[in-house]
Amino acid sequence: MTAGRDRRHAADPTGAEPAVGGEWRRLSRRMLLVHPVQELVRLAPALIGIVLAGHRNGQGVAWGLAATGVAVLVGALRWFTTTYRVTGDQVQVRRGLLRRRLLVAPLDRVRTVDLSAGALHRVLRLERVTLGTGAAVGAGHEGLRLDALDAAAAARLREELVRRRQAATGTAVMAAPGLDHAVGPQRAAEVTLAAVRPSWLRFGPFTLSGLVAVGVVTGLLSRVTSEAEVDLSRYRPLHAVATHLGAAPLWRAVVEVALAFVVVVALVSTAGYLLAFGGYRLTRHSGGTLHVVRGLIARRAVTIELSRVRGVEISEPMLLRIVGGARCSAVTTGLRTGHDSSDTAAMLLPPAPRADADRVAAAVLGTDRPVTTPLARHGRRARQRRYGRALLPCVLGAVALLPLGRLVAGPAGAWLLGVVAMPFVAVLAWDRYRNLGHAVVGEYLVRSAGSLVRRRTMLSREGIVGWTVRESFFQRRAGLATLTATTAAGAQHYAVPDVELGTAVCVADALLPGLLTPFLLDSPGPR
Amino acid sequence: MTTPQESPGQRSVTATAAYLRPPRYLVCRRAIGYWTLRAAAGWALVLAVETFGLGAGAAPSGLVGVVLAGTGLVAVAHLVVMPRWRHRVHRWEVTPQAVYSQSGWLNQEKRIAPVSRIQTVDSERRLLQRIFDLTTVTVTTGSAAGPIEINSLDRVVAEQLVAELTQAVQATHGDAT
């Protein structure tokens, strides 16, 4: 029995003889205590909801007890359904009752073995074991995690995995191939690639970073004043403003408030820029790292290993683009994933002149060709699709609102909104098409897209771990496809939208030669 | 498009258009049953919500009938067309170098990953799939956006595939990001 086996091992804490593969092992039996508690905590909001909802018809407690019972049962079941084993060269985890899953990771893909313990775990001497493979773990997907093992068993498992991994891969840990050439000559210990200049402060108002701050502060103030029942009109300046606005005609009041708002947001944004990016410096060190230092008061230093850099992205939010500014960030593996977080984590250059962004990108890549090469346009059908996708919702909205306005009492001119929006979305569509482009430059995939935020991404072929060719129903009709390079770095995927199918496959083939060869055709083939 | 410097395999470097043939193998035929059942469960939920939602309100019974009949019609069309269409689209193929899959019906997607970049090979039997003895194999890579899912294989085929893939993955080293 597995449990007996567990105990035998616990009696031999040296773990001299690693468990030979084949046998399935279970989590610590003390988890029978922890799992139900975890399940209860996780479901607490729902449980409270059930009790409250049932309160009205007097059955709340009964339902609450029943739900609690289910939660406890589900928690206990986890222990029975989760097993794991280490065979010759892989780790396998089985879990799930109704949804049976078998997770398999080859040992040399296991990069890290992390042990962690929460308060409850610590009391019961349990350790949570998380096996870090390079596999990106999405939300709601636990990956290879064993929650939890007896502390001794966990330590033993870690040792076992590390030892076998070393035996399987040899002692040398290969550094990922990357932008080695970008490290440059070894003699210079530190090269400054960019440093903040006072004139960059002019981009401050256009970052809109103050918008959030102003919103939060306004919300907080209104909350506090209403909670504390402070009468704002007693303060003389505010009182003066209120009477002034009350006396003015509506349009003037609106314009004045809007102007004041814009000025405040611009000031706060500029102050935010100064605080966040004052003292900014980007340097390259001979050890093969980039260092980003920034912050006027609170200093923040980020070190980015060049061996983890898979590319560079220049992004231009629309407002910033209008005044000729851009940001630059590194596309790297091993940092937090997702578009927003990676943007800040791998920031190379704060909002600065576009020329500086180009210069930094070229310096990090070691070549300026991906940055300067003009991109291939996507053609007439891609442009039609941009306009179609922008205008169709307006037309449909107007058509749908027209009869609705007759049936339901409401603003009769609601359908006009769709008509009024049309020129704006048309301009957006025009801009979106203008910004659409791609190129293969040496070992880089270069793609550009977006209007509200235009991004030009230069992704090294080393960073591309797969291709997705997506054709929606309408794209198939137009002979277009969206080619997506998936990567372990940065935003995890970079799309070349609405490119001709034949071109898309060509680009993919050129970047990862050989991969597509057995699947290639010269003509579209039968559909 | 800038002409690439390196020679991409056996194809001429001057090619400006290339196309992908579909992967070789269809998924299990029982998948049609599974997809039908799964979609039917979804439609049943929609119909139930409509019945209770409209029935509880003060909607005229004529309107309720029309809405339910309309939904039913769409549901039947969906249940007849979608699984069969899907079964023609869903395909997979594994070579020593690549994993290749095609999925979808109205919107279709081809995914390719080099075997050298595979991180894990997972197999999964969802509740309804177990009724039809089907298994879904998911190949994950280092990218959160890159898992290749081969939906609804016969269990035996899936087991062979997993064994084959894990063996191929072990032949390559490094952390594959």
Side-chain angles (χ1 to χ4, degrees), chain A residues 26 31 39 62 68 98 136 211 218 263 326 409 478 500 506:
Chain A
R26 282 190 196 283
M31 284 314 287
E39 212 62 39
T68 307
L98 299 178
L211 201 58
T218 311
V263 168
E500 277 176 31
C506 252

Side-chain angles (χ1 to χ4, degrees), chain A residues 89-90 97-109 111 133-138 141 144 165 168-169 174 176 308 310 333 337 369 373-374 376 438-443 461-474 476 484 486-489 491-493 501-507 509-510 512-527, chain B residues 1-24 85 88-89 93-95 97-128 130 135-136 138 140-149 162-163 165-177:
Chain A
D89 34 22
Q90 36 177 266
L97 176 68
L98 299 178
R99 189 176 176 151
R100 292 294 287 167
R101 301 179 60 112
L102 172 65
L103 310 174
V104 181
L107 281 186
D108 64 349
R109 292 288 192 276
R111 282 195 281 190
T133 67
V137 175
H141 186 295
L144 285 168
R165 181 193 142 87
T169 58
M174 274 201 327
R308 290 195 172 279
R310 299 288 182 268
T333 65
T337 59
R369 286 186 50 231
T373 304
H438 73 274
V440 179
V441 183
E443 60 172 311
R461 69 162 53 136
E462 302 291 351
I464 300 174
V465 302
W467 293 109
T468 301
V469 181
R470 186 180 163 78
E471 298 165 84
S472 74
F473 182 75
F474 293 108
R476 260 204 324 280
T484 304
T486 62
T487 168
Q492 308 287 301
H493 59 101
L501 181 60
T503 312
V505 176
C506 252
V507 168
D509 186 44
L512 299 183
L515 178 69
L516 305 183
T517 309
F519 315 122
L520 285 181
L521 296 174
D522 283 323
S523 60
R527 288 241 148 232
Chain B
M1 198 189 90
T2 309
T3 315
Q5 313 291 306
E6 289 85 354
S7 160
Q10 297 146 8
R11 294 181 49 80
S12 67
V13 287
T14 51
T16 53
Y19 299 88
L20 289 169
R21 66 165 172 77
R24 187 155 288 152
W85 191 342
R88 289 172 58 130
V89 174
E93 185 171 346
V94 174
T95 70
Q97 279 77 44
V99 183
Y100 180 24
S101 80
Q102 175 174 283
S103 62
W105 57 298
L106 274 176
N107 300 333
Q108 298 179 5
E109 200 170 72
K110 293 187 174 79
R111 289 183 171 226
I112 300 177
V115 167
S116 60
R117 303 299 190 114
I118 294 176
Q119 296 284 352
T120 66
V121 183
D122 305 340
S123 54
E124 180 180 7
R125 295 161 65 68
R126 291 168 193 152
L127 180 59
L128 291 180
R130 292 166 81 175
T135 301
T136 291
T138 306
T140 66
T141 63
S143 169
I148 298 185
E149 191 186 275
V162 170
L165 275 176
T166 18
Q167 209 164 22
V169 172
Q170 267 145 26
T172 64
H173 296 298
D175 76 357
T177 55

